[in-house]
Amino acid sequence: MIRAYKFRMRPTVGQTIALSEMLRDHCSLYSGALQERRDAYRHVSKTSVKYGQQSAQLKEIRSFDPERQGRWSFSSQQATLRRLDKAFAAFFRRVKSGDTPGYPRFRGTNWFDTVDFPRDGDGCRWDATPHDPATRVRFQGVGHVKVNQHRPVVGKVKTVSVKREGKHWYVILTAEQTAPEALPATGNVVGIDLGIANFLADSGGGFVENPRHGRKAAAKLEAAQRALSRFPRVRRDKRTMNHQRAVQKVADLHRKVRRQRLDHAHKTALDLVREHDFIAHEDLKIRNMVKAPAPKPDPEKPGSFLSNRVAAKAGLNHSISDAGWGVFLTILNAKAASAGREVVAVDPRNTSRTCPECGHVDRENRPTQEKFHCASCGHQAHADTVGALNVLRAGLVRREAQPA
């Protein structure tokens, strides 16, 4: 089992400059390799350049530019070239499958914030000063950087990555571990129904409030973005100090909302995993749910369009994105796997329209967003609780149907 760890680094001023230069030079290598591929394909011969050819050029590149490209780890530069190769592989896969392809783009220095080291000990060393009480990670060309290690790393460290987030620097480790010890069985099962009014409703009648972090920060974000819009769009090195502060303010607010959303998802998922052996949830196609409605041409007025409630749908899409269902389900599945719990996704169709008492399915069973009133037997309950009950039953049926 592979587990990732993320720790805050505390570099000195000199180390911060060196880390920034490392990102800059890897970005330059990425962009140069992308340009080479573009130029080769635009040539009349339509030559295709592969990773192996570009990796073989690294020795010459490092010898030609020892002050920049020659400073950094050879393996980390190979990882940057593999990153570009994966981007092209994904592009051609989308073209082949008929999806909308996105051609790999050049990365500016602000958009290139990660450098990977494929193996601990090759250009980097985790816990490089074991004799020192403070944990440090060593990077070639940077030195020993102090790390705020807030929890122990279990298992053998396989890869190390450096990531910049605003003004902060992080080290990300992946460690290979044996199968974790499962949590003690509780004998409890639960179905959950994700929503907007409440983030989550469970089959036992419980609710988890939707924190709406994005909506709470909307006023501050609007003010910060309005202040940023007053500055002209210029290159990063042409920005004034006030312009840079305005950019940083917007980025910090977005980063805070993202962290709040992640924190809420982790805590909610952990509570579910600790208290239940089996968890069923709806198999939501979130990407399809947040798509903008297609325009409706007016048959009576050529060139005109009928109302398709695009404004209302935009508001709903924003609320779905703010709730962070996709992030929560990813975290829930990861925590359940490490705790020995079982998670099952079921078809969400009619889960909130089916009566849990008599099984009657009718759109009229749900007269309002919150109220469920069966048109057949008269059963009344909260609509989200009914949905969670039906999700649990469908999940249990699916578990029983799975081969042993």
Side-chain angles (χ1 to χ4, degrees), residues 352-368 370-383 386 390:
S352 295
R353 298 176 179 178
T354 303
C355 178
E357 296 293 328
C358 67
H360 177 67
V361 182
D362 193 342
R363 183 177 182 177
E364 301 300 325
N365 286 351
R366 190 172 183 175
T368 65
E370 297 185 357
K371 184 178 179 181
F372 181 91
H373 188 180
C374 180
S376 178
C377 69
H379 175 69
Q380 298 187 36
H382 195 287
V386 169
N390 289 323

Side-chain angles (χ1 to χ4, degrees), residues 132-194:
D132 196 321
T135 303
R136 287 181 171 84
V137 57
R138 181 186 179 279
F139 298 109
Q140 179 178 326
V142 178
H144 294 81
V145 184
K146 190 174 181 181
V147 178
N148 182 18
Q149 185 182 358
H150 58 272
R151 59 172 175 161
V153 176
V154 180
K156 181 180 179 181
V157 175
K158 304 294 288 184
T159 67
V160 181
S161 300
V162 176
K163 185 175 179 62
R164 177 180 61 192
E165 294 184 4
K167 294 182 178 180
H168 300 160
W169 293 88
Y170 296 88
V171 58
I172 302 173
L173 315 172
T174 60
E176 186 176 15
Q177 303 175 351
T178 58
E181 184 178 353
L183 293 178
T186 63
N188 298 328
V189 296
V190 69
I192 58 175
D193 181 87
L194 299 176

Side-chain angles (χ1 to χ4, degrees), residues 27 29 63 97 132 153 164 170 208 233-234 252 269 272 275 308 310 319 336 349 353 380 386 392 404:
C27 177
L29 178 66
S63 299
S97 63
D132 196 321
V153 176
R164 177 180 61 192
Y170 296 88
V208 175
R233 294 177 64 91
V234 295
D252 288 344
L272 288 170
E275 298 174 4
N308 59 354
V310 65
S319 297
R349 287 178 294 184
R353 298 176 179 178
Q380 298 187 36
V386 169
L392 174 60

Side-chain angles (χ1 to χ4, degrees), residues 48-299:
S48 179
V49 178
K50 302 296 184 182
Y51 161 75
Q53 297 168 271
Q54 294 187 317
S55 179
Q57 300 171 17
L58 273 178
K59 185 176 180 180
E60 183 180 350
I61 293 172
R62 291 166 61 86
S63 299
F64 179 76
D65 190 9
E67 297 299 323
R68 293 185 59 176
Q69 297 296 341
R71 292 175 59 188
W72 316 115
S73 163
F74 190 91
S75 297
S76 67
Q77 292 173 324
Q78 287 181 315
T80 297
L81 294 179
R82 288 194 191 96
R83 179 174 169 183
L84 175 63
D85 193 61
K86 289 179 181 178
F88 271 96
F91 167 73
F92 289 120
R93 185 181 64 249
R94 288 191 293 270
V95 170
K96 188 175 181 180
S97 63
D99 297 337
T100 302
Y103 192 83
R105 295 180 293 178
F106 291 99
R107 300 298 184 93
T109 53
N110 284 346
W111 297 97
F112 196 96
D113 54 15
T114 305
V115 172
D116 300 320
F117 296 82
R119 186 167 64 89
D120 183 29
D122 189 358
C124 66
R125 171 64 68 185
W126 168 248
D127 198 9
T129 56
H131 55 278
D132 196 321
T135 303
R136 287 181 171 84
V137 57
R138 181 186 179 279
F139 298 109
Q140 179 178 326
V142 178
H144 294 81
V145 184
K146 190 174 181 181
V147 178
N148 182 18
Q149 185 182 358
H150 58 272
R151 59 172 175 161
V153 176
V154 180
K156 181 180 179 181
V157 175
K158 304 294 288 184
T159 67
V160 181
S161 300
V162 176
K163 185 175 179 62
R164 177 180 61 192
E165 294 184 4
K167 294 182 178 180
H168 300 160
W169 293 88
Y170 296 88
V171 58
I172 302 173
L173 315 172
T174 60
E176 186 176 15
Q177 303 175 351
T178 58
E181 184 178 353
L183 293 178
T186 63
N188 298 328
V189 296
V190 69
I192 58 175
D193 181 87
L194 299 176
I196 299 298
N198 293 294
F199 176 75
L200 179 151
D202 63 48
S203 53
F207 296 91
V208 175
E209 183 182 359
N210 186 358
R212 304 178 189 273
H213 297 300
R215 178 176 293 184
K216 291 178 180 178
K220 291 183 179 179
L221 269 170
E222 183 180 358
Q225 289 170 334
R226 188 183 302 114
L228 176 60
S229 68
R230 298 190 182 104
F231 295 95
R233 294 177 64 91
V234 295
R235 279 171 34 187
R236 182 173 179 267
D237 56 348
K238 299 293 184 181
R239 294 172 182 169
T240 64
M241 289 301 298
N242 285 338
H243 191 174
Q244 294 177 23
R245 279 192 286 268
V247 172
Q248 190 64 43
K249 179 67 173 178
V250 173
D252 288 344
L253 287 171
H254 279 293
R255 192 175 299 111
K256 181 178 180 179
V257 170
R258 180 172 59 84
R259 288 175 176 173
Q260 288 176 325
R261 193 176 291 126
L262 279 173
D263 181 70
H264 179 261
H266 274 285
K267 291 177 178 177
T268 305
L270 185 60
D271 289 341
L272 288 170
V273 168
R274 283 176 173 172
E275 298 174 4
H276 305 92
D277 299 336
F278 176 83
I279 304 169
H281 67 84
E282 297 170 298
D283 186 12
L284 300 175
K285 307 300 181 184
I286 301 174
R287 181 174 295 182
N288 295 336
M289 295 174 67
V290 297
K291 283 185 177 179
K296 297 180 179 179
D298 190 341

Side-chain angles (χ1 to χ4, degrees), residues 381-398:
H382 195 287
D384 292 341
T385 303
V386 169
L389 279 169
N390 289 323
V391 166
L392 174 60
R393 291 180 180 180
L396 293 173
V397 169
R398 183 170 181 179

